[in-house]
DNA sequence: GCATAGTTGGCACTCAGTGCCACATATGGC
DNA sequence: GCCATATGTGGCACTGAGTGCCAACTATGC
């Protein structure tokens, strides 16, 4: 049964270390604030050296926004997996289901909400988040373009569709984190995406 | 005829200094690259002290992205000036005319194009640009919400409309700066905005 | 048990950005 | 013109993020 692990030991250790550091850092950020927490604080709490920290994370920002690399991949795979004859807007909405699940996951809710607040309150982090989202946008635009036979490199329309869809996610998320979360994230996203239609 | 100047002397000197520094910096960035140009390089070329530089610009980034403060204001005013019974999407397109003019201005073309390339090639600058755009988005969303009787704070839809419109501007700009500029920016923007319709 | 590849920590460095203070310059009232 | 005051400037020392380099350590394969 146990399929031979394709992930070497060192890589697994590395990932575990990353996860542990991110967790610890996020607790510190939630407690004292992002800017008030220095890398020195973090490495002291983690019992590693500053130099080693920067071998696991390329930047302080990466501690908070690292998850976007995984998201990006999931979103792209999610969209690619949708049937080609489905309306694009619907396909995008379905691809976003992984994000919806993430925000509605009770076990992660507290931590992820706290981090979204941290991002929301910090311009530098917001900027980084948006930049990462724009990378996802580029990848989604490629897929949208492939479906509609339009080159995203020369035709702005696939990029616009992808960008508008992601704007819906961001807008829904903003309402979600700044209000009382009375309405589920999925509902907010449906409402957001219902406000637009590709021509 | 000469209406008494509402701008005090000091403020005018300050603006002139800012403009001169930004020009000089942009020339350096275009020549050696953004990251390769240090603040020390700049202040040496400008003949001022490092400390004084930071009284005119809050950050290195500000040298490139400072124009967004002015843009933001123009866009908001432009949208507010549109008739209330005009379709929102059309009003937004018209508000963007100032941006179109900016990019099609021959005298500024070379410099502005070079700076857009610099931004495009630098993740940190792209991030900053997107963050500033998202601020504009917030302001435009307020106006859109006011028109449609929806609170942007609790309803994602006004934000989605504003975000989608700005996504069109960004998408059109990206095509414009990365291709041969064979088609005018205004045309690209029309095409981009034509790919979406608010429901 | 040994060679070696990969991991870690320490150190010194660069660069952006800030607080503080002393000095210079402009402005307004007399 | 003279002085008090507001504002602008420069220097200095400091913090904090991020990097290059090297020496010491540790795990892995034979």
């Amino acid at each position: 049964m146990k399929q031979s692990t394709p992930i070497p030991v060192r890589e697994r250790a590395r990932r575990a270390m990353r996860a542990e550091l991110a967790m610890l850092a996020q607790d510190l950020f939630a407690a004292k604030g992002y800017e008030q927490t220095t890398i020195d604080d973090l490495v002291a709490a983690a019992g590693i050296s500053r130099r080693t920290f920067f071998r696991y994370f390329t930047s302080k920002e990466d501690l908070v926004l690292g998850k976007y690399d995984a998201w990006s991949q999931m979103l792209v795979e999610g969209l690619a997996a949708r049937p080609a004859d489905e309306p694009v807007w619907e396909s995008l909405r379905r691809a976003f289901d992984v994000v919806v699940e993430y925000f509605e996951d009770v076990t992660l809710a507290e931590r992820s909400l706290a981090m979204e607040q941290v991002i929301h309150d910090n311009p530098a982090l917001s900027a980084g988040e948006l930049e990462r989202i724009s990378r996802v946008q580029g990848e989604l635009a490629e897929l949208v373009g492939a479906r509609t036979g339009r080159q995203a490199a020369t035709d702005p329309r696939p990029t616009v569709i992808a960008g508008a869809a992601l704007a819906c996610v961001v807008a829904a998320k903003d309402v979600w984190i700044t209000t009382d979360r009375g309405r589920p994230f999925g509902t907010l996203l449906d409402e957001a995406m219902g406000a637009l239609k590709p021509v």
Side-chain angles (χ1 to χ4, degrees), chain A residues 32-170:
Chain A
K32 341 180 0 187
Y34 178 74
E35 296 190 334
Q36 285 67 44
T37 308
T38 68
I39 303 290
D40 282 334
D41 293 338
L42 172 62
V43 299
I48 60 168
S49 75
R50 236 172 72 84
R51 197 63 192 83
T52 297
F53 166 78
F54 281 109
R55 291 200 180 92
Y56 283 95
F57 291 89
T58 61
S59 66
K60 188 179 176 183
E61 197 183 83
D62 195 20
L63 284 163
V64 179
L65 302 180
K67 66 168 186 286
Y68 274 94
D69 290 339
W71 278 26
S72 167
Q73 206 183 332
M74 285 194 293
L75 286 180
V76 170
E77 285 170 5
L79 180 60
R82 302 302 307 176
D85 58 343
E86 184 179 51
V88 207
W89 203 241
E90 176 67 18
S91 297
L92 285 161
R93 174 61 188 84
R94 292 279 73 81
F96 294 152
D97 275 336
V98 293
V99 181
V100 174
E101 278 173 40
Y102 176 82
F103 280 116
E104 290 180 350
D105 183 325
V106 221
T107 66
L108 274 61
E110 201 172 337
R111 164 168 260 107
S112 61
L113 181 59
M115 273 316 100
E116 292 299 330
Q117 306 266 25
V118 167
I119 295 170
H120 187 84
D121 295 342
N122 186 290
L125 285 176
S126 296
E129 180 181 47
L130 291 167
E131 201 267 338
R132 280 164 159 90
I133 289 173
S134 94
R135 288 177 189 273
V136 179
Q137 179 183 341
E139 297 189 61
L140 295 181
E142 285 299 320
L143 292 178
V144 171
R147 271 208 196 182
T148 50
R150 289 167 178 163
Q151 287 283 330
T154 55
D155 189 326
R157 288 173 293 182
T159 306
V160 163
I161 304 293
L166 286 167
C168 292
V169 177
V170 173

Side-chain angles (χ1 to χ4, degrees), chain A residues 29 159 185:
Chain A
F29 293 159
T159 306
F185 180 70

